[in-house]
Amino acid sequence: MKKTSEILLLAVFTFYVTNCAMAQQHKSKLLQFDSQIDNLISQMTLEEKVNMLHGKHMFVSSGVERLGIADMIYADGPFGIREEMQPDSWMPLNLENDKATFFPTGSALAATWCPELAYKYGTGMAHEARLRGKDMILGPAINIQRIPTGGRTYEYLSEDPYLSSKLAVGYVKGVQDNGVAACVKHYALNNQENNRGTVNVIIGERAMREIYLAPFRASVEEADAYGIMPAYNKVNGEWCSENNILLNQILRKEWGFAGFTVSDWGGTHSTVDAITSGLNVEMPTKKFLGQALLDSVKAGKVSEEVINQRVREILRVRLAIKPIPAAEANKEITSQPQQQKIAYEVATKSIVLLKNEGVLPLNLSKKKVIAVIGANAEQIMATGGVGAGVKALYEVTPMQGLKNKIGDRAQLLYAKGYEPVTFSFADMYKKKTPEEIEKANKEKQVKAQKLTQEAVELASKADLVIFVAGNNRAVETEAIDRKDIFLPSGQDELIRKIAEVNPNIITVLTSGAPNDLNVVKPLSKALLISWFNGSEGGNALADVLIGNISPSGRLPFTLPVKLEDSPAYALKNYPQGVKNTDVFTDLVSTTDGKDNQKKKDEISNDPNTAYYSEESLVGYRWFDTKNIPVMYPFGFGLTYTIFEYSKVKTDKDKYGKDDVITLSFELKNKGKIAADEVVQVYVHRINPSVEWPAKELKAFSRVSLNPGETKTVALKVPVKELMYWNDKKQSWDYDPCKSELMVGSSVDEIKLKKEIVTE
Ligand code: BGC
């Protein structure tokens, strides 16, 4: 229970927030069901109500059969519908029909810089969810990519709140317009996996609002998200699943969220605090919101009105989403051609070309010998580590894609080159003796030497090497952050050796997060990132390499020169350096929680605190403001053509608070290949009254241009998008000043500038 002083503080805060923010609260479609719901609630017993507030099975929470209220059926998310599992464990059911489409993961989707595609992606996810009888997709996952090593960077979208918001809104709308609820996760500040189940994030309110909450706010206010998943961690001292400020005050009262919250799996910590602070469903257990809740109501610690409200919030979604009878689910195979097409389209637009010294697109006129080197050329990325994976119907690997698209126009040879990192739960729990470790290391070394030798031999016989390097899903995984961003499995050493015998190297990185490119960049004539790119990833990559499609993805995050340059590292805010025992381990071994409570208590006593003292200077905001050189900047990506920017203007020079700035300019494709450019508008404040990052993304658009074509591009920036969170007033505020609108092809390549004044 909370102390009286805390409750008083909260009351003052509530008054403030409700008064400052109520005026702008969005009206959810879900409110239309309330009178029907009152009637339903009046017929329910207390037991029936409480029964709706916790897990029934691993991915199911209860309805009330007697009243025709169906159970709520959840599916992971976020990049494909997870396979069917046994009701009360993580063990698969081994069905045939649950093979789904593997959609490109979050950072790949973000690299498209295309909200319309995010909408299509959501549509595809919803169609597959419906075939499987699911009501709510546990996704999208939209936390800001704060550290390059973050285990879930590949699931998340971007380091920038504006880009993340636009894509999250597209995804959520796509899902919900097609009859499925989205559960946006992980609210909030789940920006690291190490100690995610214990870490307490200490952050100032301005950075929290402007950077970390912004995509969640947009998902609620602009897309009317029906579900929110409170994260595992604490924020400013309170667990997210019982954080009155985050759940009741900001999410519900301020933003007008009308749906329900679902704890992250095993992320509930209390009964009275959780239910009164705004948690609706404890998943997948009933340790806190089961009998303990019933007892608390009976003992007068929780009023029945609170229970009614939590039930009402669930019922709103239940009435908005049509349940699918179990007999109708899983009749057809989940992955359907329509969805595979969407996965392909996203993949083709996500690939980022970082460097090209005239070797791409590939010239296939002379039947070349191409050595494809690297285990990632044949590596499946739909599964691999801890957490949500997709049992994909199929996955076209880079090697398969090259074979499909090149056919006999070149001779394609393959060498594995390195032993990929693998993951298994058995290995995670098995403690090895020092002798066993030494023996394993020796074997590894011998194997690596052999693989290197084979690869170098192959490279020496080839006209060209396509080096398929990067991470995989065992390297980037839920529950643990990477220790560094170096290419794994000795890939740097391997490329050095390959380059000695063949300098014609094209490097493809299949990673979901940043890598250190100091070795690989100078040794590669061309360098691309092709992500964890879904079922059609290999086909999309081959189409880009051979020039069927001009690359058009743009970096959704900064690639630093070295990890230590990035803000949380530079300021020694990360890593916090304590032991890493994950909440997930509890759920894997048992669901009753008893054995693990002791273990958990020990961990909670750890002084385990993440300070966000870099405040708003996350990602490019840090590098740009502090003038720290980067390897490749946020927003960067080359194409097979050249674009020319000219004639920038705005509709006015001075703007009032309610105005929308319209900025336009001309964009010309000066080359011989049709291509998309992603134009970006950054705002730089010239004479502000408060501190700002040097530049902030405030508009962008993907523009398709044929060779020689010119288009006038118009972009809109509402002045209210330029507001800041005023800590003193505890509200959003304007900072009237002179600003420069900067049009560019990345945060570091500004092509045009236009000064404006906001009043
Ligand atoms: C993850 C969630 C996921 C849930 C259910 C948790 O470990 O953090 O993102 O939805 O498991 O699989």
Side-chain angles (χ1 to χ4, degrees):
M1 289 280 271
K2 292 185 168 81
K3 290 191 235 82
T4 330
S5 58
E6 282 176 41
I7 292 170
L8 251 172
L9 249 175
L10 273 179
V12 174
F13 184 85
T14 313
F15 173 81
Y16 232 136
V17 170
T18 26
N19 283 288
C20 298
M22 280 305 268
Q24 305 151 19
Q25 204 194 52
H26 107 109
K27 266 253 165 304
S28 170
K29 273 202 299 219
L30 292 175
L31 297 173
Q32 63 179 303
F33 301 110
D34 276 12
S35 51
Q36 200 181 335
I37 290 171
D38 286 343
N39 181 31
L40 277 174
I41 291 179
S42 69
Q43 299 173 58
M44 289 165 72
T45 65
L46 177 63
E47 282 73 11
E48 282 170 334
K49 293 176 200 170
V50 169
N51 205 33
M52 293 182 72
L53 306 178
H54 54 252
K56 175 178 180 183
H57 298 301
M58 193 59 104
F59 285 94
V60 182
S61 62
S62 287
V64 185
E65 211 184 337
R66 180 178 72 83
L67 298 173
I69 302 167
D71 291 351
M72 189 70 72
I73 307 186
Y74 308 88
D76 268 315
F79 49 86
I81 304 300
R82 192 172 185 164
E83 72 186 302
E84 294 297 328
M85 273 165 283
Q86 291 173 14
D88 297 309
S89 86
W90 297 95
M91 296 306 288
L93 271 182
N94 295 319
L95 303 185
E96 265 307 302
N97 270 357
D98 62 353
K99 292 180 180 162
T101 302
F102 165 30
F103 289 88
T105 68
S107 48
L109 174 62
T112 68
W113 288 62
C114 188
E116 296 76 19
L117 260 186
Y119 182 88
K120 273 197 197 174
Y121 187 118
T123 302
M125 287 286 297
H127 282 143
E128 298 206 352
R130 291 271 88 182
L131 286 180
R132 296 271 298 283
K134 310 295 181 194
D135 300 307
M136 180 175 265
I137 291 172
L138 304 174
I142 63 168
N143 294 81
I144 293 293
Q145 295 162 336
R146 174 178 181 248
I147 48 169
T149 44
R152 299 184 89 167
T153 301
Y154 78 95
E155 278 189 74
Y156 296 154
L157 297 167
S158 171
E159 68 185 22
D160 178 75
Y162 184 80
L163 179 58
S164 296
S165 297
K166 294 294 157 199
L167 295 164
V169 166
Y171 186 132
V172 172
K173 282 187 175 164
V175 168
Q176 295 190 168
D177 284 354
N178 289 281
V180 182
C183 182
V184 182
K185 64 192 189 183
H186 309 88
Y187 182 69
L189 291 124
N190 179 189
N191 310 108
Q192 66 182 65
E193 289 300 287
N194 282 1
N195 301 315
R196 63 177 172 168
T198 53
V199 74
N200 179 20
V201 171
I202 303 293
I203 184 168
E205 197 165 355
R206 184 168 173 202
M208 177 168 95
R209 298 275 189 163
E210 291 178 24
I211 306 288
Y212 294 97
L213 298 193
F216 291 96
R217 180 183 178 199
S219 301
V220 172
E221 292 188 341
E222 293 171 43
D224 202 12
Y226 291 174
I228 292 280
M229 184 187 288
Y232 282 131
N233 48 285
K234 289 180 182 176
V235 171
N236 292 335
E238 299 284 354
W239 294 111
C240 288
S241 57
E242 56 188 61
N243 196 311
N244 190 57
I245 293 177
L246 285 179
L247 300 179
N248 276 340
Q249 304 308 326
I250 297 180
L251 181 67
R252 289 219 167 81
K253 293 217 176 69
E254 215 179 299
W255 299 344
F257 174 69
F260 71 101
T261 59
V262 185
S263 80
D264 201 343
W265 268 228
T268 309
H269 296 272
S270 63
T271 299
V272 178
D273 284 345
I275 202 78
T276 52
S277 300
L279 181 67
N280 296 80
V281 183
E282 169 193 357
M283 280 305 283
T285 39
K286 52 180 173 189
K287 191 171 153 201
F288 297 105
L289 301 192
Q291 187 62 43
L293 180 56
L294 205 55
D295 294 344
S296 301
V297 179
K298 287 182 181 156
K301 291 182 194 158
V302 175
S303 80
E304 194 156 348
E305 211 16 72
V306 169
I307 302 290
N308 288 348
Q309 183 56 19
R310 296 289 91 93
V311 167
R312 181 176 293 115
E313 288 151 357
I314 299 172
L315 285 175
R316 285 176 185 155
V317 179
R318 184 62 287 172
L319 295 187
I321 301 296
K322 195 170 158 284
I324 293 180
E328 282 173 34
N330 287 310
K331 277 184 154 173
E332 271 179 83
I333 195 125
T334 314
S335 179
Q336 294 286 322
Q338 201 190 340
Q339 273 63 259
Q340 296 154 15
K341 237 176 98 194
I342 297 170
Y344 171 74
E345 197 186 344
V346 174
T348 55
K349 293 187 171 155
S350 75
I351 295 167
V352 181
L353 178 63
L354 294 174
K355 176 179 176 181
N356 185 14
E357 286 178 352
V359 288
L360 290 177
L362 291 175
N363 176 356
L364 297 174
S365 62
K366 291 181 200 143
K367 199 172 161 161
K368 284 186 176 148
V369 178
I370 302 178
V372 180
I373 296 176
N376 275 10
E378 298 210 314
Q379 172 87 48
I380 299 296
M381 299 295 184
T383 52
V386 179
V390 185
K391 187 168 97 186
L393 177 63
Y394 69 94
E395 180 176 341
V396 179
T397 60
M399 190 64 201
Q400 190 56 50
L402 288 166
K403 283 185 190 158
N404 294 349
K405 301 284 174 171
I406 293 181
D408 62 3
R409 288 185 288 163
Q411 197 186 342
L412 288 169
L413 305 171
Y414 173 71
K416 194 173 177 187
Y418 56 83
E419 201 51 58
V421 177
T422 53
F423 170 87
S424 83
F425 277 111
D427 286 351
M428 191 161 113
Y429 295 119
K430 201 177 148 208
K431 282 248 174 304
K432 285 195 183 130
T433 62
E435 296 73 40
E436 282 173 326
I437 295 174
E438 205 189 309
K439 191 169 165 247
N441 282 346
K442 271 203 184 122
E443 280 169 13
K444 240 172 139 179
Q445 242 176 5
V446 173
K447 228 178 186 175
Q449 273 166 1
K450 191 168 164 270
L451 290 175
T452 304
Q453 203 181 343
E454 284 165 6
V456 172
E457 255 166 52
L458 192 77
S460 68
K461 286 188 252 165
D463 298 307
L464 174 79
V465 174
I466 300 181
F467 180 43
V468 190
N471 304 329
N472 63 25
R473 292 282 311 285
V475 176
E476 292 184 43
T477 177
E478 186 176 321
I480 189 155
D481 298 323
R482 283 182 295 160
K483 289 198 177 61
D484 55 53
I485 57 170
F486 292 116
L487 288 167
S489 305
Q491 293 171 11
D492 279 347
E493 216 24 60
L494 178 62
I495 195 176
R496 280 198 186 103
K497 299 235 164 78
I498 296 172
E500 284 169 14
V501 298
N502 191 336
N504 292 323
I505 304 174
I506 294 167
T507 297
V508 176
L509 298 173
T510 50
S511 294
N515 285 116
D516 184 305
L517 304 180
N518 286 293
V519 173
V520 93
K521 180 183 169 187
L523 296 178
S524 308
K525 294 238 158 85
L527 181 59
L528 306 94
I529 304 186
S530 88
W531 312 106
F532 300 153
N533 229 347
S535 285
E536 288 284 339
N539 282 335
L541 172 65
D543 273 333
V544 165
L545 291 176
I546 66 178
N548 288 346
I549 291 167
S550 185
S552 60
R554 301 290 183 266
L555 288 177
F557 47 62
T558 307
L559 285 172
V561 172
K562 54 184 194 308
L563 177 60
E564 295 70 29
D565 293 343
S566 56
Y569 280 83
L571 296 174
K572 307 250 181 299
N573 287 333
Y574 183 91
Q576 295 90 30
V578 285
K579 63 186 160 193
N580 181 30
T581 306
D582 191 61
V583 276
F584 208 95
T585 49
D586 292 356
L587 294 176
V588 173
S589 51
T590 172
T591 51
D592 74 10
K594 272 186 207 136
D595 305 346
N596 294 299
Q597 188 55 38
K598 216 174 108 225
K599 208 165 58 184
K600 246 189 193 162
D601 288 345
E602 272 170 33
I603 303 162
S604 325
N605 292 334
D606 254 327
N608 185 357
T609 309
Y611 291 100
Y612 282 36
S613 70
E614 72 276 15
E615 297 287 343
S616 299
L617 298 186
V618 185
Y620 70 86
R621 284 168 167 76
W622 166 262
F623 295 96
D624 192 39
T625 308
K626 304 270 178 192
N627 275 315
I628 298 165
V630 298
M631 185 63 81
Y632 288 107
F634 174 79
F636 182 81
L638 303 169
T639 64
Y640 293 153
T641 188
I642 293 167
F643 293 103
E644 186 182 74
Y645 291 66
S646 64
K647 299 186 190 156
V648 67
K649 58 176 193 225
T650 46
D651 55 339
K652 298 197 282 185
D653 292 328
K654 284 189 180 164
Y655 295 89
K657 291 177 176 163
D658 295 326
D659 286 346
V660 174
I661 305 164
T662 303
L663 170 120
S664 61
F665 60 94
E666 286 194 358
L667 185 71
K668 180 173 182 183
N669 180 350
K670 285 181 71 187
K672 294 194 175 67
I673 293 181
D676 288 3
E677 172 72 315
V678 176
V679 297
Q680 301 155 40
V681 177
Y682 296 88
V683 174
H684 164 69
R685 278 92 176 171
I686 296 171
N687 59 347
S689 59
V690 292
E691 273 193 282
W692 288 99
K695 290 190 208 94
E696 290 194 302
L697 181 73
K698 288 294 168 190
F700 63 87
S701 177
R702 174 178 268 273
V703 188
S704 303
L705 287 174
N706 286 320
E709 192 184 2
T710 301
K711 274 186 187 165
T712 302
V713 182
L715 290 159
K716 294 201 180 298
V717 181
V719 172
K720 70 173 179 358
E721 285 277 354
L722 306 180
M723 291 169 94
Y724 73 101
W725 181 258
N726 185 327
D727 277 327
K728 280 194 206 112
K729 287 196 201 161
Q730 282 287 300
S731 69
W732 291 98
D733 209 352
Y734 291 92
D735 181 15
C737 64
K738 210 189 278 174
S739 296
E740 230 168 14
L741 300 178
M742 301 176 152
V743 183
S745 55
S746 81
V747 68
D748 282 359
E749 295 156 296
I750 299 304
K751 315 274 187 185
L752 305 166
K753 291 178 186 176
K754 175 73 179 70
E755 217 174 275
I756 54 136
V757 173
T758 50
E759 297 177 321

